[in-house]
Amino acid sequence: MILAVVAGSVFAAGAGHHQQAQAGGKPASQPAQDAAPDPNCTLVVPGHPLTARGLATPYKLVATDPGKGPCHEANPDQAAFVEAAIVTRSGKLTVYDPLVIDKGTRPAAPTVRPTVPKGSTVGVWFGFNGDQLTLKPSGGSLAQGRCVNGVPGSVFGQFAYCNAPAFFRAANAQTAKKHIRIPALGTARDGRPCPTTRDFSVVDQDGSDNVVTHYLADAQGRIAQNNAASRAALRKAAQSGGASFTDLTNGSDNLLLTHFIDPALGCTPFTAPNQSSDGQASSALPLDELSAAARQRAPIALVPENDPMTLVDDHTSVRKTDRYRAGVDMPPIGAGHGGDGKAFCSTLFGDPAGVQRVFKDKALFTNAPSPDPGTAPNLFGFLASRANQSFTNLGCDRLLGVANPVGLTTGAEGLVTDAVLVPLGQTPPSSSPANSPSPAAAPSTASPSASQAPATPVTSTPTSSPTPTANDGSSAPSSTPPSPSLTPVTPSSSVNVH
């Protein structure tokens, strides 16, 4: 995520806008964008998606309701992303990024056929820059892949998966045999353990959502995998009269952690060779979750029932929350690992391990690049804006009965230039200029855009196992806006808070 409220970490209710990065240092032409892109798209899953052939076959993007306009993969507000992980019977772990293209088009370059040894277990995860991504079968592909899109009548939103529980079982078994070695957590520059995707200083309204996949897009909107052969083919096309290509990425909590927070804290993520990207070491959602399950110390942030992506008709759902958790290797609420929203909010905003760490590390984050310069000029401002939105999107005001503790200062252009965090129960002073516009609030899942991401680190940083949180049978979080004394932050599509 990185700001967005709908179905991502703090992805706002509207589609999160993701900027495209220029590739190869050449000026890139932006693909044509729809004036008001439809935030709800469908992804057609190819046959036998857990096989080498299925992984190498492009997924096809199409509008869920054609009457509301088309969906285009090259449009950063509608782009869908696929990420796979493969674990062999001997414990070899690799990742692979299946391609997504518009239905009726061809890839901009041939896809790489991955190696999937006999007896391997494959898991597939999905991320989306819009609001609601629906999986559609090609033949019996959803059943073949054991794909989960939510519960009947209610999709997760920006997240889905295929065969994830089986993958995690196989990977955990190989870890127990010491065939897979998950690195120990390093020590961050602040003297504390390096964070994981289950660290309360990292999570937002919807943690463990979306992926780290990158694609390349040419000026005609054709998509290719991110590897040397694709870049060479696209450059050749550009030299013969076409335009250069751009980098598409999924705004996600995972990308925020591995590309922004980790470098700022002097940490490195758990990585594995990426078969679709020339074997380069890559982070990925399943690797982040394996690391978090193995290394994260208490308090451990498990997906709560008030996560916007686990609600059904604006009400909490144990079933949907458990199905989401199963896709990211978290224990079910029913097994005693509670999902109480009030406890989650209290820890996130009241515990030293939560948002307080972001403010204590203000100097480190202020000197780090922003995932979205349209929201804040640096990482601290971005994380503060994301925290402010998470409080509202999780309904913490209603659950805790207190005002939003994160006060934002905005500049003349509405950028978050500073922020304060006060103890729960207090109200931060309104420090924004009286006539300045509100900052572009992050949607419910803040996720960085690829154009701003530093080079992917190659080292590994593990994570830890989950601890129970109280169970909650409460209703959906309220949409009550922040206290009038706080700087108002209206969710906008400019920031992705996955």
Side-chain angles (χ1 to χ4, degrees), residues 2-4 11-12 14-20 30 33 37 74-79 128-131 158 249-251 371-375 382 441-443 445 447-452 492-498:
I2 297 178
L3 303 172
F11 235 101
H17 178 70
H18 300 267
Q19 299 180 359
Q20 293 173 306
Q30 294 279 356
Q33 305 292 314
N75 185 331
D77 287 342
Q78 296 178 313
F128 185 48
N129 288 351
D131 290 354
Q158 295 169 343
T249 192
N250 185 206
D372 187 345
T375 293
F382 177 82
T445 337
S447 303
S449 63
S451 58
Q452 310 302 330
S492 92
S493 60
S494 62
V495 183
N496 169 5
V497 176
H498 298 25

Side-chain angles (χ1 to χ4, degrees), residues 42-438:
T42 290
L43 200 56
V44 180
V45 178
H48 303 285
L50 305 179
T51 66
R53 180 179 179 181
L55 291 171
T57 302
Y59 287 67
K60 297 176 181 178
L61 189 72
V62 65
T64 302
D65 180 356
K68 295 183 179 179
C71 285
H72 294 302
E73 180 64 18
N75 185 331
D77 287 342
Q78 296 178 313
F81 300 82
V82 188
E83 186 171 79
I86 303 159
V87 61
T88 69
R89 287 190 295 189
S90 62
K92 182 179 179 181
L93 185 61
T94 59
V95 295
Y96 179 86
D97 299 332
L99 191 64
V100 176
I101 62 175
D102 286 2
K103 187 175 181 180
T105 68
R106 298 176 62 84
T111 58
V112 174
R113 187 183 178 96
T115 298
V116 183
K118 185 177 180 180
S120 298
T121 304
V122 178
V124 180
W125 294 262
F126 303 87
F128 185 48
N129 288 351
D131 290 354
Q132 300 288 312
L133 181 67
T134 300
L135 300 184
K136 181 179 179 180
S138 174
S141 60
L142 296 188
Q144 293 161 359
R146 293 178 284 281
C147 301
V148 177
N149 200 185
V151 294
S154 180
V155 300
F156 291 127
Q158 295 169 343
F159 177 75
Y161 59 86
C162 299
N163 206 43
F167 168 83
F168 284 120
R169 284 194 298 271
N172 288 329
Q174 294 297 335
T175 301
K177 295 176 183 177
K178 302 189 184 307
H179 293 164
I180 294 177
R181 296 186 180 276
I182 298 175
L185 286 177
T187 300
R189 291 190 176 117
D190 62 1
R192 302 184 62 176
C194 288
T196 72
T197 50
R198 300 181 193 180
D199 193 297
F200 272 99
S201 70
V202 170
V203 297
D204 59 3
Q205 75 175 32
D206 34 23
S208 298
D209 68 325
N210 289 273
V211 297
V212 186
T213 299
H214 286 243
Y215 296 135
L216 306 177
D218 70 11
Q220 286 72 47
R222 295 175 302 182
I223 314 298
Q225 289 173 316
N226 182 23
N227 55 49
S230 294
R231 289 190 291 273
L234 292 173
R235 288 192 185 103
K236 183 177 180 181
Q239 290 172 358
S240 62
S244 59
F245 54 92
T246 59
D247 184 8
L248 286 173
T249 192
N250 185 206
S252 69
D253 288 345
N254 303 80
L255 190 66
L256 174 64
L257 173 63
T258 62
H259 286 62
F260 294 90
I261 294 176
D262 275 348
L265 294 178
C267 299
T268 52
F270 178 28
T271 63
N274 189 326
Q275 293 196 52
S276 56
S277 294
D278 308 308
Q280 294 184 14
S282 173
S283 59
L285 179 148
L287 303 186
D288 290 341
E289 296 307 324
L290 286 171
S291 176
R295 306 295 185 193
Q296 179 63 45
R297 301 176 185 176
I300 298 171
L302 302 179
V303 172
E305 290 182 80
N306 55 329
D307 181 326
M309 284 202 280
T310 67
L311 301 179
V312 175
D313 294 330
D314 293 330
H315 292 83
T316 58
S317 166
V318 171
R319 181 189 180 197
K320 192 176 180 185
T321 304
D322 281 350
R323 295 199 85 185
Y324 190 104
R325 285 186 175 194
V328 290
D329 199 25
M330 291 182 184
I333 292 173
H337 298 274
D340 179 54
K342 182 177 180 180
F344 189 90
C345 287
S346 180
T347 304
L348 181 59
F349 292 96
D351 192 285
V355 174
Q356 288 183 34
R357 182 176 181 179
V358 172
F359 282 79
K360 288 179 180 177
D361 289 340
K362 179 178 178 179
L364 294 172
F365 293 140
T366 297
N367 291 324
S370 173
D372 187 345
T375 293
N378 54 54
L379 181 56
F380 173 73
F382 177 82
L383 292 174
S385 179
R386 179 175 181 256
N388 176 286
Q389 286 298 294
S390 295
F391 186 89
T392 299
N393 296 329
L394 284 166
C396 297
D397 49 354
R398 175 184 59 81
L399 293 171
L400 299 177
V402 299
N404 195 322
V406 182
L408 306 177
T409 298
T410 58
E413 297 180 355
L415 301 183
V416 177
T417 58
D418 201 1
V420 295
L421 176 68
V422 300
L424 287 174
Q426 296 184 22
T427 300
S430 178
S431 50
S432 287
N435 298 318
S436 71
S438 302

Side-chain angles (χ1 to χ4, degrees), residues 429-497:
S430 178
S431 50
S432 287
N435 298 318
S436 71
S438 302
S444 91
T445 337
S447 303
S449 63
S451 58
Q452 310 302 330
T456 308
V458 176
T459 343
S460 329
T461 297
T463 21
S464 204
S465 15
T467 45
T469 10
N471 204 342
D472 176 31
S474 60
S475 58
S478 92
S479 55
T480 307
S483 163
S485 62
L486 298 178
T487 303
V489 179
T490 306
S492 92
S493 60
S494 62
V495 183
N496 169 5
V497 176

